[in-house]
Amino acid sequence: MAVDHLSTTLSALADPTRRAILARLSTGERTVNQLAEPFKMSLPAVSKHIKVLENAGLIVRGRDAQYRPCRLEAGPMREVSDFVEKYRKFWEESLDRLGEYLHELQRKEKKHGRGK
Amino acid sequence: MAVDHLSTTLSALADPTRRAILARLSTGERTVNQLAEPFKMSLPAVSKHIKVLENAGLIVRGRDAQYRPCRLEAGPMREVSDFVEKYRKFWEESLDRLGEYLHELQRKEKKHGRGK
């Protein structure tokens, strides 16, 4: 079965090194060598991460034959945003419940004279 | 290396069956049997997906010993939303560029008399 686009994007983002690469590209184009620099990783390991990001359409490589600089292409993230947005009301409810719970705890603390 | 929380969430969401399970739970609690029903999948296969979602904290199982119904816990998605939100301006720029390009194409079409 062909993997759907959203799954490919989420899977590509599910790695801290790949997210760090995207974060660096958000400040401008970089060559693979430049991207590899801050990571204590071999060039082939970094290249593999870049390939995953490229396959997911999150990175576009330039045409300059020698350097082929990497450029951020955030387009696929929009689908991720649309997806989680459908669940916003649920996580906001969870936060509300947590807030109420903490408030209740504080109230009890004060009642028992352990508050300041 | 321990996998960070955001990577675990993204990885759990990177599967259409798991996203379909979450979508069903957004309308209310379901037992594993009820969740398995619409998927042409064995109960163990569905259970495995549920286990991944549970480990990511996206599902909470009830305490009822016999049924242990599954409940949606959307909290972890907030971090996903915060992450992609940082890239919003980039994908909006891409959309703007695409819009301009399409507009330019239309303009040329009209100029060459092929438009209606």
Side-chain angles (χ1 to χ4, degrees), chain A residues 3 10-11 15 29 44 46 49 51 53-57 60-61 64 71 75-76 79 89 91 97 99 101 104 114:
Chain A
V3 177
L10 289 164
S11 183
D15 180 280
E29 291 190 358
V46 172
H49 281 308
K51 195 81 207 154
L53 290 167
E54 203 184 347
N55 287 341
V60 177
R61 302 289 299 271
D64 181 323
R71 184 167 54 75
E79 208 184 337
K89 65 173 177 187
W91 82 64
R97 276 199 304 273
Y101 174 70
E104 183 67 10
R114 270 170 286 161

Side-chain angles (χ1 to χ4, degrees), chain B residues 2 7 20 63 70 75 81 94 98 101:
Chain B
S7 296
R63 291 207 185 133
C70 300
S81 174
S94 313
L98 183 66
Y101 174 72

Side-chain angles (χ1 to χ4, degrees), chain A residues 71-88:
Chain A
R71 184 167 54 75
L72 173 69
E73 178 47 68
M77 291 196 209
R78 200 168 71 103
E79 208 184 337
V80 175
S81 174
D82 290 346
F83 168 72
V84 291
E85 204 50 39
K86 286 186 278 181
Y87 292 89
R88 176 179 289 276

Side-chain angles (χ1 to χ4, degrees), chain B residues 41-102:
Chain B
M41 258 189 196
S42 68
L43 206 58
V46 172
S47 294
K48 208 173 152 188
H49 281 307
I50 290 172
K51 194 81 205 155
V52 174
L53 291 167
E54 203 184 344
N55 287 340
L58 288 161
I59 274 183
V60 176
R61 303 289 298 272
R63 291 207 185 133
D64 181 323
Q66 206 179 348
Y67 300 111
R68 305 203 63 212
C70 300
R71 184 168 53 77
L72 173 69
E73 177 48 65
M77 292 196 207
R78 200 169 73 105
E79 208 185 337
V80 176
S81 174
D82 290 347
F83 168 72
V84 292
E85 205 51 39
K86 286 185 280 182
Y87 292 89
R88 175 178 290 276
K89 65 174 180 190
F90 295 103
W91 82 65
E92 282 179 348
E93 276 167 20
S94 313
L95 279 179
D96 286 350
R97 277 199 302 274
L98 183 66
E100 274 165 32
Y101 174 72
L102 291 176

Side-chain angles (χ1 to χ4, degrees), chain A residues 13-110:
Chain A
L13 295 174
D15 180 280
T17 305
R18 290 199 287 270
R19 291 198 302 277
I21 289 172
L22 294 176
R24 282 203 76 204
L25 293 178
S26 72
T27 60
E29 291 190 358
R30 296 276 195 293
T31 64
V32 176
N33 275 313
Q34 288 171 327
L35 283 173
E37 237 173 75
F39 302 107
K40 280 164 186 145
M41 257 191 199
S42 68
L43 206 60
V46 172
S47 294
K48 210 174 152 189
H49 281 308
I50 290 172
K51 195 81 207 154
V52 173
L53 290 167
E54 203 184 347
N55 287 341
L58 289 160
I59 274 182
V60 177
R61 302 289 299 271
R63 288 202 188 136
D64 181 323
Q66 206 179 347
Y67 300 109
R68 306 204 62 214
C70 299
R71 184 167 54 75
L72 173 69
E73 178 47 68
M77 291 196 209
R78 200 168 71 103
E79 208 184 337
V80 175
S81 174
D82 290 346
F83 168 72
V84 291
E85 204 50 39
K86 286 186 278 181
Y87 292 89
R88 176 179 289 276
K89 65 173 177 187
F90 295 103
W91 82 64
E92 283 179 347
E93 277 167 19
S94 314
L95 280 180
D96 286 349
R97 276 199 304 273
L98 184 66
E100 275 165 31
Y101 174 70
L102 292 177
H103 187 76
E104 183 67 10
L105 276 187
Q106 278 184 321
R107 210 184 53 80
K108 282 184 185 163
E109 284 275 304
K110 278 193 184 144

